[in-house]
Amino acid sequence: MAGLSSLLASVDVVDLSAEIFSGMPLWSSHPGVSVEVSRTFDRDGYFCQTVILPEHAGAHVDAPAHVHRDLREATVDRLPVDALLAPAWKIDVSGDDLQPGQALTLARFREVAASAGVAVRAGDIVLFEFGWDRHWDGRAPAAPETARWWGGNEPGLEPALCDHLRALGVRAVGSDTAGCDIAAVDGDLLVQYGHETAFLPNGILILEGLHNLARCPSHFLFLALPLRIVGGSGSPLRPVALVPRSRPAGDPSPALEDLS
């Protein structure tokens, strides 16, 4: 326990989630989010809000049941509690300025990974930083035009790259966009191979709507806990990155890799 306490004291915790609020940006075809005051001190003696949101609002995870009829039993409540506790690798292509409808190629992935020293192993999580925070920073409020645009416009991943990640045996793939591997323009889905073929049918979870990836190094420990929604196709998350601080020479405390 002392080793774990020392480890946790040696990391910074980066919040990778968006704020939840009425009218927030989300996938263009999903029902909207509503956060309304339902109990007040003056009337009821306490304060409480009612939150209505789809399972895929904000930072969230897609379970295999999300898009496959024959996987309807592979729901989010059946995931092990540590399903999203794993070493994560960030692929930063924010400087590539990919546009909605464009797909990141396997060749470019390999270039960026080699430059950043990325070495994905089976069981790892791979997260793509497209730089989509520049369109919405994850905070309330969001202009109506932003909310409409954000959920239907994004770059994605080409099929060859999705197949490569599947072959590596990753446990999850995610991004700072609304649909991860999906490339879309004004709600028209041009590429969605990961959802349909490479990822969900093979038990690879999909993470979407992440924020603040620019604050993360190329390698860190990812942690998120899905809600146990019975029969759920996915779940909102409060994902965090555990990022190691620089340690003085000779510091005997355990490294982040010791936990991962």
Side-chain angles (χ1 to χ4, degrees):
M1 184 63 69
L4 179 58
S5 298
S6 177
L7 173 62
L8 293 177
S10 71
V11 299
D12 291 318
V13 180
V14 179
D15 190 345
L16 303 180
S17 67
E19 295 181 344
I20 303 296
F21 57 95
S22 295
M24 67 180 291
L26 72 168
W27 186 253
S28 59
S29 64
H30 286 336
V33 172
S34 173
V35 182
E36 302 291 342
V37 174
S38 54
R39 298 292 184 270
T40 67
F41 285 107
D42 290 343
R43 186 186 65 202
D44 307 292
Y46 65 97
F47 175 66
C48 178
Q49 297 185 124
T50 296
V51 180
I52 300 175
L53 74 169
E55 295 168 322
H56 303 267
H60 65 274
V61 61
D62 291 0
H66 182 39
V67 295
H68 291 276
R69 290 179 182 270
D70 58 346
L71 296 175
R72 66 186 65 187
E73 301 300 319
T75 52
V76 71
D77 52 309
R78 300 194 177 189
L79 295 177
V81 68
D82 61 351
L84 295 175
L85 170 60
W89 296 95
K90 183 184 78 169
I91 304 298
D92 182 3
V93 291
S94 58
D96 290 13
D97 194 27
L98 290 171
Q99 297 300 304
Q102 295 182 323
L104 181 67
T105 66
L106 174 58
R108 180 58 179 154
F109 168 84
R110 284 175 164 156
E111 290 176 356
V112 175
S115 177
V118 171
V120 179
R121 299 173 297 180
D124 288 351
I125 293 172
V126 177
L127 304 175
F128 291 90
E129 182 189 353
F130 289 107
W132 231 234
D133 284 6
R134 67 181 181 269
H135 300 295
W136 173 49
D137 64 4
R139 298 184 180 185
E145 58 271 22
T146 298
R148 287 192 297 269
W149 186 90
W150 189 86
N153 292 275
E154 60 183 29
L157 310 177
E158 75 165 358
L161 174 51
C162 296
D163 281 337
H164 177 69
L165 295 171
R166 175 190 54 78
L168 289 174
V170 300
R171 73 169 62 194
V173 179
S175 76
D176 56 2
T177 61
C180 187
D181 61 280
I182 297 176
V185 177
D186 294 334
D188 185 13
L189 311 188
L190 305 182
V191 178
Q192 51 184 326
Y193 183 80
H195 273 70
E196 294 184 340
T197 304
F199 299 153
L200 294 180
N202 294 287
I204 298 172
L205 303 176
I206 296 177
L207 302 164
E208 297 165 334
L210 302 176
H211 286 271
N212 300 319
L213 286 174
R215 296 175 54 193
C216 300
S218 61
H219 195 211
F220 55 91
L221 188 65
F222 181 91
L223 169 62
L225 299 176
L227 300 175
R228 297 178 69 184
I229 302 170
V230 174
S233 67
S235 170
L237 301 171
R238 184 72 180 268
V240 297
L242 301 181
V243 177
R245 301 182 190 132
S246 298
R247 295 187 299 164
D251 186 343
S253 60
L256 185 61
E257 288 76 11
D258 297 331
L259 182 59
S260 62

